[in-house]
Amino acid sequence: MKTFGTYFRNDKDLPIAYGEINLINPERQRLRGEPLLEGIEAYPVFQGFCGTDFELMKMGRDGKLSAKFPDGESRLINGHEGVVWVPSQNRFAIVLIRGGDSWDPTRYTEDETYFEYGCDGADGLFCDKNYFNPDMLLELPEEYKGLKKLPLSVAKKLSFADPYACAVFQLERMEDLGEAQNFRVEMAKHKCSEAEARAIAKDNIFAKTVIFGLGMTGLFIADQIRRNHPDAKILFIGRSEETSKKVVFSKEIANADYLCTADLSEEVTAEKIIEMLGGRATMFVGTSGTNVEHRVAFEHKALGCNGIYNSFSLGPKVQYDTMPFGFENHLIFASINFRQAHMEKAIEVLVDSRYDEVVELIDKGEFIADPLDAYENKIFCKGAPLKTGVIWNKEYIDEDK
């Protein structure tokens, strides 16, 4: 079976290409202990572009993508954010991206394996049709069942299902670790039971939260914190002007403050953070992809005693001085991905959100004519939209809604 789509490959000059591709349909497993199933046919309808795609493309340019290709193939159909139409079931679906031979896809161990549609070992969504494990085609809310055309506004929102699911998982991890980190302190302070102290610690870890980096990832994490911890103080850190569209939107969604660091040194940035939060941070979430994050948090002491550093960026090396690190009882963690329940929660939240407002479209014809140029000069360049999406199959989209 063949299809047309974009795909990554190891090629210095053309790491992403568009053309006819031979489809494969190996049996895949959602979780350990479940049966291996062949995929069923689905038509990608709307896709969002993710920074991970851009990083994979750069890996292809450096000849480092081989480990990401499906077995026996020398290319990877990219794309992991979007909506598909399942003809055999007459419905729209969101593809649960991560599966494999593991008990929990967020905690795979040395003897377990995983795959990710469009990212690692399995072809993704930027194609006219593909095959997906039937157990990994998630339902849309009841009001969208039976539709033959999905409103464009809803498709835009649902292109965030993957990254928003990551944010739901991040909240879970921050709550779990924050509770364990500080419940004994709260138990001593409030002379209360362990259960009561754990509830207090879970809430208080967000009392003074820094989101370092102003992109969709940081916004989603802040949104989840605000929805579940309404008294949290949240401060976004970025380099954009405070009047920019993305800053205004992010502040509104998360009811957060903002610090522009475009002209600030790292030391002054830390001082401003402490001033605006009314003390050193209890939670510091790094999403900027730069080494500035850890230096502001540790070297310049923006992160307070008993605080948590959530290293969510891919790329930076986190460094710290072991003496203050130990005595100030800091905790560093890094974990990415999500379980099915997280993505189902993300779908539920997104359909009633405003996130369609930040998605701008690129014409499919323009994109497939030169995918490399689109990635480098339109989608992931300076001044690019906060989020770019593409209508891949207009037959299934109502562009007036």
Side-chain angles (χ1 to χ4, degrees), residues 4-28:
F4 282 87
T6 61
Y7 53 94
F8 294 135
R9 59 187 181 182
N10 286 321
D11 190 301
K12 181 180 179 181
D13 299 316
L14 198 63
I16 182 171
Y18 174 81
E20 190 175 52
I21 317 162
N22 184 54
L23 283 178
I24 58 173
N25 189 17
E27 293 182 331
R28 299 191 187 279

Side-chain angles (χ1 to χ4, degrees), residues 199-246:
I200 294 169
K202 180 188 289 189
D203 198 44
N204 283 351
I205 199 63
F206 301 107
K208 300 180 180 69
T209 299
V210 170
I211 308 290
F212 203 99
L214 190 66
M216 295 310 298
T217 298
L219 173 54
F220 291 155
I221 292 174
D223 185 10
Q224 272 295 290
I225 293 171
R226 176 61 65 212
R227 288 171 183 269
N228 292 276
H229 300 274
D231 294 329
K233 189 170 183 61
I234 301 172
L235 177 63
F236 285 117
I237 310 295
R239 297 180 62 81
S240 300
E241 292 290 334
E242 189 155 6
T243 55
S244 70
K245 178 180 177 180
K246 72 175 182 179

Side-chain angles (χ1 to χ4, degrees), residues 115-276:
F115 69 88
E116 291 181 328
Y117 286 116
C119 295
D120 200 333
D123 289 326
L125 302 180
F126 274 98
C127 52
D128 295 343
K129 62 183 174 183
N130 206 343
Y131 299 96
F132 303 100
N133 182 314
D135 292 339
M136 298 175 70
L137 292 166
L138 305 186
E139 301 273 354
L140 269 61
E142 194 66 36
E143 59 264 38
Y144 301 105
K145 295 179 180 178
L147 294 181
K148 302 299 182 184
K149 284 180 174 284
L150 191 66
L152 177 58
S153 61
V154 176
K156 287 180 175 180
K157 295 172 187 178
L158 291 174
S159 68
F160 290 118
D162 178 281
Y164 200 95
C166 285
V168 178
F169 173 51
Q170 288 304 300
L171 179 74
E172 176 185 283
R173 290 290 281 152
M174 290 186 288
E175 288 179 337
D176 288 352
L177 294 170
E179 175 185 323
Q181 170 83 338
N182 290 326
F183 81 89
R184 294 188 185 281
V185 175
E186 301 293 359
M187 193 160 55
K189 183 189 300 183
H190 297 283
K191 304 294 190 291
C192 60
S193 68
E194 179 176 327
E196 292 171 316
R198 284 183 175 273
I200 294 169
K202 180 188 289 189
D203 198 44
N204 283 351
I205 199 63
F206 301 107
K208 300 180 180 69
T209 299
V210 170
I211 308 290
F212 203 99
L214 190 66
M216 295 310 298
T217 298
L219 173 54
F220 291 155
I221 292 174
D223 185 10
Q224 272 295 290
I225 293 171
R226 176 61 65 212
R227 288 171 183 269
N228 292 276
H229 300 274
D231 294 329
K233 189 170 183 61
I234 301 172
L235 177 63
F236 285 117
I237 310 295
R239 297 180 62 81
S240 300
E241 292 290 334
E242 189 155 6
T243 55
S244 70
K245 178 180 177 180
K246 72 175 182 179
V247 173
V248 172
F249 181 82
S250 298
K251 288 173 63 178
E252 289 177 356
I253 292 296
N255 187 20
D257 295 320
Y258 177 71
L259 173 63
C260 174
T261 63
D263 299 315
L264 302 181
S265 67
E266 293 174 8
E267 182 178 6
V268 172
T269 296
E271 291 172 355
K272 291 284 188 181
I273 288 172
I274 294 168
E275 177 185 336
M276 293 181 73

